Amino acid sequence: MHSEQRQVLLDALEKDANNPVGRFEFAYILEEEKHWADSLREYQVAKRLAASVKGPKYIDSRGNVYEVDGVREEVDKAIDRVAKLDKSVEPQK
């Protein structure tokens, strides 16, 4: 199921790389997979994209509507969380 979610998000982001909700969800999957640096980067992209949306909704090129207020509310917490996790990982020898 997890790999299916990952692939669905990757396919969606390939069609619309500027979707802040998709970026946020993909960052969460990367976080669950312990890909801290990639997750952090995706959360930062989601934050930037959400900030650029005027109003509470992002509308993609096909007319799909996404609420971005949740991303705006949670993204800073997610960035802080992943940044701490990334620093706590010991380099592998």
Side-chain angles (χ1 to χ4, degrees):
M1 181 75 157
H2 185 75
S3 62
E4 291 172 7
Q5 289 175 320
R6 188 182 214 280
Q7 193 57 51
V8 167
L9 280 169
L10 284 173
D11 291 346
L13 289 172
E14 189 174 306
K15 293 175 185 164
D16 182 12
N18 294 321
N19 185 327
V21 178
R23 290 286 186 164
F24 185 84
E25 291 176 2
F26 185 56
Y28 181 74
I29 286 175
L30 291 170
E31 180 182 351
E32 286 186 327
E33 294 175 352
K34 298 181 176 32
H35 297 291
W36 311 127
D38 294 333
S39 175
L40 186 59
R41 182 191 69 243
E42 289 296 323
Y43 279 132
Q44 291 167 337
V45 171
K47 179 178 181 172
R48 181 179 48 81
L49 291 172
S52 71
V53 174
K54 295 187 181 2
K57 297 177 182 167
Y58 170 77
I59 302 171
D60 70 13
S61 62
R62 294 174 290 155
N64 297 314
V65 178
Y66 300 87
E67 297 285 334
V68 295
D69 285 341
V71 173
R72 291 176 178 145
E73 291 171 10
E74 297 298 321
V75 74
D76 286 327
K77 290 181 242 177
I79 288 171
D80 289 343
R81 180 179 63 242
V82 173
K84 288 175 186 171
L85 290 169
D86 192 27
K87 289 178 184 174
S88 69
V89 174
E90 296 288 326
Q92 294 184 358
K93 296 180 182 180

